[in-house]
């Protein structure tokens, strides 16, 4: 590319579609070549290996217990994979701001919407990598029960839906926080507040409990997976439980697309004096 002082080529570069691919490529290199992504993926695989070993060595396992083992492994894979995606997206902008590299990034001939889109795509690659790692474990536990394929499709469809919503939310939190610690802390607090109600087994059995489950994107997604895998319900029978994850994913992506040029600022929140 020829360097010129004329402002027209800069505007042309900013208006080109596809600049987000350049940002996404650089962010993916930082994530995967830099070593942070492989380290998180290794920890994720160790966790799934331990769970799969404990489930597979249970000699008293019958048909129903095997389905429950697949369901448990899938839920843990979804929860931890979404957590890692949220952490990466929560570091995307606030981390640049804290390290003092955001100003240099904004001076590049790339639009701010492209920067947001590229960082979002890079964060989602971590979820896709977690999904690829989880598939062999689901196959091992579900082999012979014809449930592994169903679990894999559920992991891709439902898990990606939840990862899109919480990944986008983490990016918005990152854009509004001056401190990287604040961004990570708020993101973890949001995730824990959504995940905690899922540990109450009797919650969906009451009217209020069912309502709380439906409005919780993580709780409703995990409940839908359990209904399909363990309770043998059809894919469309409890499809209404996916309303909350769909709304969150659509809202987060829409805000990132519409407000992309406005959410990246050198200083966010209330500046200290």
């Amino acid at each position: 590319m020829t360097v010129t002082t004329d402002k027209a080529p800069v505007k042309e570069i900013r208006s080109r579609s596809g600049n987000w691919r350049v940002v996404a490529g650089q962010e993916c290199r930082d994530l995967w070549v830099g070593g942070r992504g492989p380290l998180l993926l290794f920890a994720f695989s160790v966790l799934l290996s331990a769970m799969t070993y404990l489930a597979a060595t249970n000699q008293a396992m019958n048909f129903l217990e095997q389905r429950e083992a697949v369901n448990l492994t899938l839920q843990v894979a979804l929860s931890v994979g979404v957590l890692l995606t949220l952490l990466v997206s929560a570091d995307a902008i606030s981390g640049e701001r804290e390290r003092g590299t955001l100003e240099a990034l904004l001076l590049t001939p790339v639009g701010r919407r492209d920067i947001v889109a590229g960082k979002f795509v890079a964060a989602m690659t971590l979820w896709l990598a977690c999904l690829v790692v989880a598939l062999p474990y689901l196959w091992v536990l579900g082999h012979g029960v014809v449930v592994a394929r169903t679990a894999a499709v559920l992991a891709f469809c439902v898990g990606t839906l939840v990862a899109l919503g919480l990944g986008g939310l983490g990016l918005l939190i990152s854009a509004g926080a001056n401190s990287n610690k604040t961004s990570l802390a708020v993101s973890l607090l949001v995730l824990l507040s959504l995940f905690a109600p899922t540990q109450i087994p009797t919650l969906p059995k009451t009217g209020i409990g069912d309502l709380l489950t439906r409005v919780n994107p993580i709780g409703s997604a995990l409940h839908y997976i359990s209904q399909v895998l363990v309770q043998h319900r059809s894919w469309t029978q409890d499809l209404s439980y996916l309303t909350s994850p769909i709304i969150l994913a659509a809202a987060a992506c829409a805000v990132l697309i519409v407000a992309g040029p406005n959410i990246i600022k050198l200083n966010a929140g209330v500046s200290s004096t």
Side-chain angles (χ1 to χ4, degrees):
M1 181 183 299
T2 303
V3 179
T4 178
T5 57
D6 190 4
K7 295 183 179 180
V10 175
K11 292 182 179 179
E12 182 182 355
I13 293 176
R14 287 181 178 273
S15 63
R16 286 178 186 169
S17 60
N19 283 335
W20 64 270
R21 296 188 183 92
V22 178
V23 178
Q26 182 60 47
E27 291 293 323
C28 287
R29 284 190 292 271
D30 292 341
L31 177 63
W32 295 106
V33 180
R36 183 175 48 162
L39 181 61
L40 294 175
L41 205 60
F42 174 75
F44 177 78
S45 64
V46 169
L47 175 62
L48 288 187
S49 297
M51 289 195 56
T52 304
Y53 175 79
L54 293 175
T57 54
N58 182 7
Q59 297 179 356
M61 182 179 295
N62 57 29
F63 180 84
L64 180 59
E65 289 173 341
Q66 192 170 0
R67 281 184 172 270
E68 290 176 344
V70 174
N71 178 54
L72 177 61
T73 303
L74 176 54
Q75 292 198 11
V76 171
L78 188 152
S79 301
V80 178
V82 168
L83 167 63
L84 298 180
T85 305
L86 180 62
L87 291 179
V88 171
S89 62
D91 175 72
I93 299 176
S94 61
E96 297 270 10
R97 186 182 291 119
E98 190 171 88
R99 292 186 291 268
T101 57
L102 182 60
E103 183 177 3
L105 180 62
L106 295 179
L107 291 177
T108 59
V110 178
R112 298 192 179 192
R113 184 177 285 110
D114 294 321
I115 295 176
V116 172
K119 287 182 173 292
F120 186 45
V121 170
M124 288 301 300
T125 61
L126 184 58
W127 158 251
L128 294 178
C130 290
L131 177 62
V132 171
V133 170
L135 291 180
Y137 297 97
L138 297 175
W139 182 86
V140 169
L141 291 175
H143 183 62
V145 194
V146 198
V147 72
R149 182 180 301 177
T150 302
V153 177
L154 283 171
F156 176 76
C157 297
V158 181
T160 303
L161 194 62
V162 178
L164 283 171
L166 291 181
L169 182 61
L171 198 59
L172 292 173
I173 294 173
S174 180
N178 266 326
S179 170
N180 200 31
K181 293 181 179 179
T182 301
S183 176
L184 294 175
V186 172
S187 298
L188 285 175
L189 181 61
V190 170
L191 185 66
L192 289 176
S193 64
L194 294 176
F195 184 75
T198 65
Q199 301 307 298
I200 305 176
T202 58
L203 186 61
K205 296 181 181 180
T206 63
I208 297 179
D210 182 69
L211 178 61
L212 293 177
T213 300
R214 289 179 179 274
V215 299
N216 183 348
I218 294 181
S220 56
L222 297 182
H223 182 77
Y224 177 79
I225 290 174
S226 297
Q227 294 298 102
V228 175
L229 284 181
V230 180
Q231 302 300 328
H232 308 282
R233 292 178 176 266
S234 66
W235 286 70
T236 58
Q237 192 169 353
D238 293 293
L239 202 59
S240 59
Y241 278 95
L242 295 183
T243 302
S244 179
I246 291 174
I247 292 177
L248 177 61
C253 293
V255 171
L256 290 176
I257 292 174
V258 174
N262 300 320
I263 65 175
I264 300 185
K265 299 178 181 179
L266 290 179
N267 295 301
V270 180
S271 59
S272 59
T273 57

